[in-house]
Amino acid sequence: MKKVFKFIKLLLISKYDFDRKFKKKILIYDESSSSFFDGVFKKDECFILNIREIVIYPIIFFRSVLKYKFKWNLYNYFIEIIDEISPDFIFTQNDNDTFFWKLKFLLKKKPITIFIQNGFRSYSNDIFEYLDKNQFNKDDSFVDFFLVFSESIKKKYKDYLNGKGIVIGSFKNNKTKILKNENQAKSILFISEFASSRYFDLKSNSENYWYPENFFLPIIYQYAKEKSLDLNILGKLNQNKELKNEEIDFFNNILGNSNWNYIESNQDYKCYEKIDESKFVVFISSTLGFESITRGKPTAALCSRNFKYKNKLSDDLCFAWPSKINKTGPFWTNKCEKVETIK
């Protein structure tokens, strides 16, 4: 009965598209990936498959229902849409979507499938722990090309996934031009990794998880004051005003509510502009922090989330995981020590 209600709800809340769907050479899997490929492909040669805000193409939809009957689900519907479009290539930024990993075996035509890593990966509460928990069978997966950040993460994916891995760094970062700013702001940019407890449940581990922010930010604050630098905190990408206010309160509790600036993030890659405009960048484990390094910006990687917070792996939030490198280096540390910060 629950499944019937979900089905009826889907029919009521979904968008409908009655236009005839022509064959397309390229299919972009997941509407959230569409902006990711802006400027890469011509719009008229691409079909965007919505997997979040579902679009119902009536003929394809009801054909899939009749075909699968009581075994019908959204994934079956997606397969029917892709078979109808019959693309030569399927792209996505969803590197952690295991359904995408299986597409090759489910489609009539065998298009070339490609995923592009879109963010820093760890083990706990991420794709690799999920795969181990669910005893994922590598033989059930194949992606023709998976384009990833580093050699070490390529090897990690190869433990679970068949296909050819290619190291390209960050695709988004690579295609975003570096601004040459002669009048560079005299500022330190700290990249926020704040997550509301409403959506990110740390249980009793909250104090340990946020220990690096509480340890490092007062030191950075004092350094900025002594060097006459502005301290800017780049907020998480979030359109919800209530969550933004919660994020600001989080930093107010650490630094007080004066002598630092909160900068809103957005979806138009303006975060890269903020990186380029700053004199220094500081981060703990953010993808944007690693991208800052490759943009040639003086960057301090204070990757010490695992210093007190212990999860399934003791080092999966350390600098450049899963690479095995020293705990401290010229611009990084996995420790919470004042002397390392000052260096």
Side-chain angles (χ1 to χ4, degrees), residues 148-166:
V148 296
F149 284 6
S150 67
E151 195 65 37
S152 62
I153 202 69
K154 182 182 88 172
K155 290 176 182 175
K156 191 70 178 175
Y157 273 111
K158 289 289 283 182
D159 289 340
Y160 302 90
L161 174 63
N162 291 303
K164 183 176 178 59
I166 301 173

Side-chain angles (χ1 to χ4, degrees), residues 9 29 40 81 184 236 298:
K9 184 179 178 182
Y29 176 90
V40 178
I81 295 173
Q184 196 174 65
K236 286 288 289 290

Side-chain angles (χ1 to χ4, degrees), residues 63-79:
R63 186 174 68 207
S64 72
V65 172
L66 290 172
K67 181 177 179 179
Y68 293 101
K69 298 183 175 62
F70 294 106
K71 292 183 179 179
W72 184 91
N73 57 43
L74 277 174
Y75 292 120
N76 294 331
Y77 175 48
F78 296 155
I79 293 298

Side-chain angles (χ1 to χ4, degrees), residues 25-30 33 36-37 40-41 87-97 100-101 103-104 107 110-118 142-148 161-166 168 171:
K25 184 177 180 181
I26 296 166
L27 184 141
I28 296 175
Y29 176 90
D30 188 357
S33 294
F36 196 74
F37 296 103
V40 178
F41 305 121
D88 295 325
F89 302 90
I90 303 179
F91 288 86
T92 190
Q93 65 167 339
N94 294 11
D95 56 299
N96 57 350
D97 187 327
F100 185 85
W101 294 15
L103 272 182
K104 197 81 172 179
L107 299 171
K110 304 302 178 188
I112 293 173
T113 54
I114 302 164
F115 79 58
I116 301 174
Q117 184 182 352
N118 73 70
F142 184 88
V143 175
D144 288 279
F145 301 101
F146 46 100
L147 314 183
V148 296
L161 174 63
N162 291 303
K164 183 176 178 59
I166 301 173
I168 65 163
F171 179 79

Side-chain angles (χ1 to χ4, degrees), residues 109-316:
K109 183 179 176 179
K110 304 302 178 188
I112 293 173
T113 54
I114 302 164
F115 79 58
I116 301 174
Q117 184 182 352
N118 73 70
F120 174 79
R121 291 279 163 237
S122 61
Y123 180 84
S124 298
N125 302 313
D126 209 329
I127 181 63
F128 302 116
E129 183 182 25
Y130 168 84
L131 295 170
D132 286 342
K133 272 186 177 179
N134 290 276
Q135 298 180 327
F136 187 81
N137 187 350
K138 182 179 177 179
D139 293 336
D140 292 337
S141 72
F142 184 88
V143 175
D144 288 279
F145 301 101
F146 46 100
L147 314 183
V148 296
F149 284 6
S150 67
E151 195 65 37
S152 62
I153 202 69
K154 182 182 88 172
K155 290 176 182 175
K156 191 70 178 175
Y157 273 111
K158 289 289 283 182
D159 289 340
Y160 302 90
L161 174 63
N162 291 303
K164 183 176 178 59
I166 301 173
V167 177
I168 65 163
S170 167
F171 179 79
K172 275 194 302 185
N173 190 37
N174 292 346
K175 77 186 189 84
T176 306
K177 186 177 179 181
I178 298 174
L179 298 178
K180 300 296 183 183
N181 195 338
E182 293 179 2
N183 299 314
Q184 196 174 65
K186 292 183 178 180
S187 64
I188 298 175
L189 185 71
F190 181 85
I191 301 171
S192 170
E193 295 171 26
F194 173 78
S196 172
S197 58
R198 285 179 279 175
Y199 305 104
F200 187 50
D201 185 13
L202 292 166
K203 299 184 173 62
S204 60
N205 244 335
S206 175
E207 187 176 335
N208 289 337
Y209 187 85
W210 299 117
Y211 183 79
E213 280 83 355
N214 285 278
F215 179 85
F216 287 120
L217 274 170
I219 299 171
I220 296 166
Y221 180 90
Q222 187 60 35
Y223 177 85
K225 189 176 179 181
E226 290 172 1
K227 301 296 182 181
S228 299
L229 298 170
D230 292 331
L231 174 57
N232 298 325
I233 295 179
L234 181 64
K236 286 288 289 290
L237 179 59
N238 198 322
Q239 304 303 316
N240 185 306
K241 184 165 181 160
E242 190 177 337
L243 290 177
K244 284 180 183 177
N245 289 336
E246 193 176 333
E247 182 177 34
I248 292 169
D249 287 343
F250 172 80
F251 289 107
N252 278 336
N253 287 334
I254 298 172
L255 297 173
N257 59 5
S258 61
N259 298 320
W260 66 275
N261 307 301
Y262 177 80
I263 300 175
E264 289 192 18
S265 196
N266 59 52
Q267 295 189 6
D268 297 322
Y269 302 155
K270 299 293 184 184
C271 52
Y272 294 116
E273 288 185 15
K274 299 304 177 187
I275 292 288
D276 297 340
E277 290 169 359
S278 302
K279 189 173 182 66
F280 304 111
V281 174
V282 182
F283 75 102
I284 293 172
S285 60
S286 165
T287 300
L288 185 60
F290 289 103
E291 291 171 328
S292 173
I293 296 168
T294 65
R295 294 177 81 79
K297 181 62 59 177
T299 303
L302 308 177
C303 302
S304 54
R305 188 72 71 200
N306 286 132
F307 187 73
K308 284 201 170 186
Y309 175 72
K310 304 302 178 187
N311 46 24
K312 294 291 175 64
L313 290 185
S314 61
D315 66 346
D316 66 330

